[in-house]
Amino acid sequence: MDAPTRKMDQSSHLILHLTPKAEIDKGITVISRGEGVHVFDTEGNKYIDLVAGVTRPVHLGYGHKELAQAIYDQMMELAYFTPLMFANEPAIKLAEVLAGITPGAINRFTFECDGSEAVETAMKLAKHYHYFNGDRGRYKVLSRKGAYHGVNGIGVRALGSVVPMRHMMEPLAPGSVFAESPYCYRCPYDLTYPDCDIVCARNIQRIIEFEGPDLFSAIIGEPIQQGFGVLAPPKEYWPIVRGICDKFGILLIIDEVICGFGRTGKMFATEHYDVQPDLITMAKGITSGYVPLGAVGCTDEVLKPIEVFNHLHTYGNHPVPCAAGLKTIEILEREKLVEASENLGNYFLEGLQELEHHSIVGEVRGTGMWTAIDFTVDKKTRAPLPAENLTNMIARAKQKGLIIKLAPVRQAFEFAPPLIIQKEEIDQAFKIIEECIAEEEKEMGL
Ligand SMILES: Cc1ncc(COP(=O)(O)O)c(C=O)c1O
């Protein structure tokens, strides 16, 4: 097949995800190569990738030979073997390494293909735990409005942000219950921290009491939430939620699919909080996006009652992505990229904060190498800027050689560059972001 030299259009046989036909009519950029924090398209354009592949897995950047070699070597050694009644060395080793770096008592692991499957599997394990404890009625799961936990089966019930994705697939398995998110900039209760007494967390208890505490198997949430654009809850939030779980015998699933592997300046974002999850989910940065992998970790206590895990994926515990995970973690640790995420992440955040004087910039926030600009039409009321203005700015940035993205609720930009990014590349990106904001303001007559 000849390499394409132009945009993809409706004549292509390929189906894209979340891409309206109108966008395909305009032509879709074909990315053909990556190197460090840069990607190149088939028309000869070069971009700084400020979102690590847009869905943000590429922690180590593009073209990492050592990682690619580890994947090749594993393929030659053992390309595949089943997770059913057999084990393989990379999966055993990766589980052991993860036991050493995941939060506290998380100690047992199973491997899937992506984050959605990891979420699905964590929910299944939670259900298994209750079932084997003789507690068979716990079918409800509490998530939060604005959450994103993937697109699969029962996992999609927790989808609180890309609402059409959930609606189209309804009716779903019953049992989805939503609480408000800890969105301090636009508090759903119109309160201000710390006077709010963290009502967004405390109200979870009231919701559960109303719904029936004995019917809940799990509460799921990201430690720092993507949906509205990188929301780090106050330090009291997760301990309060943990207390509610303990009160009612509900398991706490912390979804580290984006946050894990250094994204927030710690190996796992749970470490920013004084909380012990019962289960955690991981994906994305675990292999730096080079091959697909999702993972679930749980405590010994969760696994203890489970006689058999009634679950099977052909590609579960797959040796090749597990080898990629082992190499990725080795490189993250050796090159101190988690520390770089914290230190350069602070530089990134401070640089973005300099944009707060712009009239459409509402709040800049972030943790480690994961930051956001929440836009507004009115700094007093904090009413969101229409998504159209944000997509205009994203298109402008692309024209200028910078790839950025909208947070799912479509009122903020989210930035999550490869953790190998350097100061000069961040400075180049800032210059473009500022130009795009200024141009949009001008066009809005501000
Ligand atoms: C927090 C969280 N959980 C789960 C998922 C689903 O992961 P995947 O897209 O790999 O299926 C995502 C995807 O962005 C996510 O952000």
Side-chain angles (χ1 to χ4, degrees):
M1 192 184 82
D2 291 338
T5 53
R6 57 184 175 89
K7 287 188 157 61
M8 183 196 128
D9 59 25
Q10 295 286 10
S11 68
S12 170
H13 299 272
L14 181 66
I15 300 173
L16 299 178
H17 294 202
L18 265 189
T19 308
K21 279 195 170 145
E23 289 299 318
I24 301 176
D25 286 338
K26 286 188 223 158
I28 296 293
T29 298
V30 180
I31 298 293
S32 54
R33 194 167 72 80
E35 195 182 315
V37 297
H38 293 101
V39 290
F40 303 81
D41 69 20
T42 48
E43 296 168 295
N45 300 307
K46 175 180 179 181
Y47 306 91
I48 298 176
D49 177 5
L50 218 54
V51 274
V54 183
T55 45
R56 359 154 184 69
V58 191
H59 287 200
L60 301 183
Y62 300 92
H64 205 296
K65 288 207 168 74
E66 187 185 346
L67 177 54
Q69 186 67 48
I71 295 166
Y72 173 85
D73 290 346
Q74 182 56 47
M75 282 175 168
M76 295 311 292
E77 187 70 20
L78 177 70
Y80 173 78
F81 216 76
T82 180
L84 156 78
M85 302 289 285
F86 287 93
N88 66 75
E89 282 178 341
I92 291 172
K93 265 194 208 145
L94 183 56
E96 186 185 333
V97 167
L98 287 174
I101 61 171
T102 46
I106 300 292
N107 203 33
R108 308 284 170 158
F109 301 85
T110 189
F111 301 102
E112 302 285 345
C113 291
D114 56 29
S116 299
E117 283 184 2
V119 166
E120 176 103 354
T121 301
M123 288 183 179
K124 278 188 176 173
L125 272 169
K127 183 85 182 165
H128 273 65
Y129 165 83
H130 295 300
Y131 184 94
F132 281 104
N133 276 331
D135 200 357
R136 298 184 179 187
R138 290 182 179 264
Y139 71 98
K140 295 193 183 188
V141 173
L142 184 135
S143 177
R144 298 167 308 161
K145 295 178 194 171
Y148 186 90
H149 294 292
V151 292
N152 282 11
I154 55 171
V156 87
R157 298 186 320 186
L159 189 60
S161 55
V162 191
V163 173
M165 234 188 223
R166 175 160 56 85
H167 284 175
M168 190 176 287
M169 293 303 159
E170 283 172 341
L172 303 164
S176 309
V177 175
F178 290 90
E180 297 290 352
S181 283
Y183 187 8
C184 295
Y185 178 64
R186 294 193 180 90
C187 174
Y189 298 101
D190 276 331
L191 296 170
T192 308
Y193 177 80
D195 296 341
C196 63
D197 197 28
I198 333 293
V199 70
C200 54
R202 295 194 195 284
N203 258 358
I204 290 176
Q205 177 161 336
R206 297 169 70 171
I207 294 168
I208 285 175
E209 280 168 344
F210 175 74
E211 290 277 342
D214 295 350
L215 302 179
F216 281 86
S217 68
I219 294 178
I220 183 168
E222 289 173 272
I224 296 174
Q225 195 187 55
Q226 168 203 194
F228 295 100
V230 194
L231 288 185
K235 62 181 186 320
E236 300 89 338
Y237 182 88
W238 282 115
I240 294 170
V241 177
R242 175 76 262 179
I244 296 167
C245 287
D246 291 343
K247 189 174 168 69
F248 297 121
I250 296 168
L251 297 181
L252 179 60
I253 304 172
I254 295 278
D255 185 349
E256 291 268 7
V257 164
I258 298 179
C259 296
F261 304 96
R263 172 56 63 207
T264 72
K266 304 267 187 208
M267 188 58 94
F268 293 94
T270 304
E271 297 166 38
H272 293 287
Y273 297 92
D274 183 15
V275 65
Q276 175 62 57
D278 299 301
L279 298 113
I280 69 168
T281 48
M282 299 158 271
K284 299 194 192 269
I286 191 170
T287 57
S288 196
Y290 278 53
V291 284
L293 183 65
V296 181
C298 68
T299 61
D300 288 338
E301 211 181 329
V302 168
L303 201 65
K304 200 156 72 189
I306 300 176
E307 286 301 326
V308 57
F309 183 31
N310 285 308
H311 182 74
L312 173 63
H313 276 157
T314 297
Y315 297 134
N317 297 346
H318 195 301
V320 173
C322 286
L326 281 166
K327 185 52 87 176
T328 300
I329 294 166
E330 181 193 321
I331 296 167
L332 278 174
E333 288 181 335
R334 190 184 69 218
E335 297 183 5
K336 301 202 180 323
L337 291 174
V338 181
E339 291 86 338
S341 169
E342 183 182 5
N343 298 332
L344 262 188
N346 287 334
Y347 178 78
F348 201 113
L349 185 66
E350 283 161 19
L352 284 185
Q353 280 164 342
E354 286 176 20
L355 303 175
E356 279 181 333
H357 66 89
H358 281 274
S359 58
I360 61 171
V361 173
E363 183 178 67
V364 166
R365 52 181 179 256
T367 312
M369 202 54 91
W370 198 25
T371 50
I373 303 177
D374 201 329
F375 289 93
T376 182
V377 281
D378 181 341
K379 290 201 184 218
K380 250 199 186 138
T381 64
R382 302 181 175 181
L385 190 70
E388 190 190 327
N389 296 105
L390 274 78
T391 48
N392 287 345
M393 288 188 273
I394 288 171
R396 282 205 184 92
K398 190 170 163 223
Q399 285 272 320
K400 294 170 192 279
L402 179 69
I403 295 182
I404 54 178
K405 79 179 280 288
L406 264 184
V409 182
R410 299 172 66 83
Q411 50 204 34
F413 286 161
E414 197 197 307
F415 308 103
L419 305 185
I420 54 153
I421 196 167
Q422 302 294 307
K423 260 190 181 155
E424 309 77 64
E425 292 152 343
I426 294 176
D427 292 342
Q428 278 171 34
F430 281 161
K431 189 167 164 292
I432 297 175
I433 295 166
E434 170 128 49
E435 280 171 22
C436 294
I437 293 173
E439 286 168 19
E440 193 62 23
E441 285 177 335
K442 196 162 165 214
E443 199 153 300
M444 292 169 72
L446 298 170

